[in-house]
Amino acid sequence: MFKELQLPFVELPKSAEELRAEVRDFIKEELASKSFAPQCDSWLGGFDPEFSLKLGKRGWLGMTFPKKYGGHERTALERFVVTEELLAAGAPVAAHWIADRQTGPLLLKFGSEEQKQKYLPKYANGEWFVAIGLSEPNSGSDLASVSTKAERIDGGWRINGSKIWTSGAHRAHQIIVFCRTEPRTEDRRAGFSQIIVDLSTPGVTVRPIRLMNGEHHFNEVIFEDVEVPDYMVIGTTGNGWKQVMADLAFERSGPERFLSTFPLFKEFIRIVGESRDKSVHVAIGNLTTRLWTLRHMSLGVAGLLEKGQSPEIAAALVKDLGTQFEKDVTETIRLLVSIIPSETSDSRFEVLMAEAILHAPGFTLRGGATEILRGIIARGLGVR
Ligand SMILES: Cc1cc2nc3c(=O)[nH]c(=O)nc-3n(C[C@H](O)[C@H](O)[C@H](O)COP(=O)(O)OP(=O)(O)OC[C@H]3O[C@@H](n4cnc5c(N)ncnc54)[C@H](O)[C@@H]3O)c2cc1C
């Protein structure tokens, strides 16, 4: 029997639209003062701690956190509006992205009182950055094969192993390490935990893995007898799998999963605005209708979050369709306009095109590869 996917239709409240106007004014000012230039995939490549601090001061980070932890007790829909405006503008939001998007909600759900008091205000201020330590040289899609290990020592844990493709670890303050804390049993998913590791702890080595254009985004993070105190374990020891799945739902559901190439799309429309070429009009029409549908689906996920429901299946669906869309934007425009993409060009369009082409291969991999997401969706709908 097939199950239905419940994705509510969400209309934004007046307060969210008022907030949108505020964010647009802020972006206009920032663009006028040349504080940033619009960038494709700015939530991965636009690392600007000063910009994060500015957002923190305006109350646009940690928006849904309780006030007692430095948050603003605003709704998931209001947060949606702020993030979609920043992404659409190609603003440099990478520094705080992980802390604000998923580590904060993770600690709110599973963290200890001490962890919440210590870290959430720093996330909300935009002064503390986090890396995700899931993938390993031999474990990507098959997360249950992770072999980084933490063993019990007096008053804490000793970690050994390595993580790979770790976004921003060279600039982050801490990493959330998904590791084995109990020996492997028949249940491959049992015995994992999530541990917060300060990246300055002795025994942690961060090595760059450069993109083909030389950009330093990824890292390999190696743990050699890294000792952490007990209070750095998030939630319950051994409950890591369940926690990480909740974490991934936050990671997959947001507007960043279809807006990474929006700055390119916008610039394309500006440039070809007067074109009489029918194929250009058709392409813009097709992409816009898909974008609008995705936006409503993603808003539906924000609506589920607002109600405190788990958006796991819907998030996987939005991520799958959204990242295909981001790639299609790049490919459609590349085939319609004859330019030489270049990151050093004086033309913003050529720069955006270059960024989109270079980053596109990662869209459908990061946060869960296409085939894996489709498996989750199929299981969730009862067709597998
Ligand atoms: C831009 C970017 C940023 C990233 N940032 C981080 C980060 O910060 N932290 C982190 O931990 N990781 C990060 N990753 C890693 C990412 O999570 C992994 O790349 C992803 O989970 C896939 O794992 P893999 O690369 O090992 O590929 P594999 O798991 O080897 O998969 C390779 C291909 O095989 C397919 N495949 C695998 N298993 C199956 C199956 N059972 N059935 C059908 N097809 C299958 C996959 O869909 C994929 O197409 C990042 C990746 C990218 C591209």
Side-chain angles (χ1 to χ4, degrees), residues 44 132-135 139-141 164-167 217-218 362 365-367 369-372:
L44 188 109
I132 306 171
L134 291 173
S135 309
S139 302
S141 303
I164 200 167
W165 315 126
T166 323
S167 302
H217 159 73
F218 284 135
L365 277 173
R366 59 186 178 190
T370 304
E371 291 78 4
I372 303 308

Side-chain angles (χ1 to χ4, degrees), residues 8-320:
F9 177 76
V10 170
E11 268 183 284
L12 288 168
K14 201 164 159 256
S15 65
E17 292 303 348
E18 284 164 3
L19 184 57
R20 184 189 306 286
E22 272 179 56
V23 181
R24 285 192 176 173
D25 286 346
F26 165 74
I27 289 169
K28 238 186 251 167
E29 283 166 27
E30 291 296 304
L31 285 171
S33 68
K34 299 202 175 352
S35 111
F36 75 89
Q39 197 180 337
C40 275
D41 209 14
S42 66
W43 61 279
L44 188 109
F47 196 98
D48 182 345
E50 264 184 48
F51 193 82
S52 297
L53 280 178
K54 282 185 200 169
L55 295 180
K57 281 210 179 81
R58 285 184 177 252
W60 293 340
L61 299 181
M63 286 180 71
T64 59
F65 303 175
K67 286 190 177 154
K68 66 175 173 170
Y69 302 127
H72 305 282
E73 297 184 5
R74 300 196 74 156
T75 65
L77 296 178
E78 287 171 321
R79 181 179 179 271
F80 184 96
V81 165
V82 172
T83 53
E84 79 168 341
E85 288 300 325
L86 291 168
L87 293 164
V93 292
H96 63 264
W97 197 257
I98 292 168
D100 179 60
R101 172 184 70 181
Q102 67 194 88
T103 320
L106 176 78
L107 292 188
L108 277 170
K109 197 160 181 190
F110 297 106
S112 65
E113 189 53 33
E114 187 176 359
Q115 288 165 352
K116 289 179 198 166
Q117 283 185 19
K118 187 168 173 189
Y119 294 120
L120 294 178
K122 291 177 194 250
Y123 300 166
N125 288 343
E127 61 177 274
W128 202 255
F129 312 134
V130 185
I132 306 171
L134 291 173
S135 309
E136 295 187 0
N138 295 313
S139 302
S141 303
D142 183 16
L143 204 54
S145 66
V146 153
S147 63
T148 294
K149 219 170 49 187
E151 40 176 353
R152 258 254 160 259
I153 53 171
D154 197 18
W157 297 85
R158 182 183 295 125
I159 305 175
N160 278 288
S162 66
K163 297 288 172 184
I164 200 167
W165 315 126
T166 323
S167 302
H170 55 306
R171 296 188 275 209
H173 299 92
Q174 61 188 190
I175 178 167
I176 310 299
V177 180
F178 179 70
C179 58
R180 198 159 257 304
T181 42
E182 290 158 28
R184 193 169 157 162
T185 58
E186 259 181 35
D187 180 0
R188 296 176 73 234
R189 295 169 176 182
F192 288 108
S193 301
Q194 287 178 297
I195 304 182
I196 306 170
V197 177
D198 196 321
L199 280 156
S200 61
T201 314
V204 179
T205 308
V206 179
R207 288 195 197 136
I209 305 173
R210 294 193 184 272
L211 301 187
M212 57 184 162
N213 63 345
E215 209 179 302
H216 181 189
H217 159 73
F218 284 135
N219 300 278
E220 189 175 6
V221 185
I222 296 141
F223 303 86
E224 289 168 302
D225 291 331
V226 175
E227 295 189 2
V228 290
D230 256 332
Y231 64 79
M232 297 298 251
V233 174
I234 302 174
T236 315
T237 318
N239 192 36
W241 186 267
K242 198 172 148 217
Q243 293 177 193
V244 99
M245 289 303 126
D247 197 9
L248 281 170
F250 282 105
E251 185 176 340
R252 288 173 179 155
S253 58
E256 70 271 33
R257 298 304 181 178
F258 57 91
L259 288 177
S260 305
T261 50
F262 185 81
L264 171 69
F265 189 34
K266 195 168 147 196
E267 189 63 6
F268 168 68
I269 293 172
R270 194 182 68 76
I271 280 177
V272 300
E274 303 296 315
S275 167
R276 288 167 180 262
D277 182 343
K278 200 172 161 212
S279 57
V280 166
H281 294 185
V282 169
I284 292 176
N286 278 340
L287 291 173
T288 305
T289 45
R290 282 172 72 190
L291 174 65
W292 203 244
T293 309
L294 281 162
R295 179 173 181 266
H296 274 287
M297 292 176 74
S298 185
L299 261 172
V301 175
L304 291 178
L305 287 173
E306 188 58 32
K307 287 188 202 151
Q309 293 176 16
S310 164
E312 212 179 298
I313 314 298
L317 187 64
V318 174
K319 203 234 157 207
D320 179 25

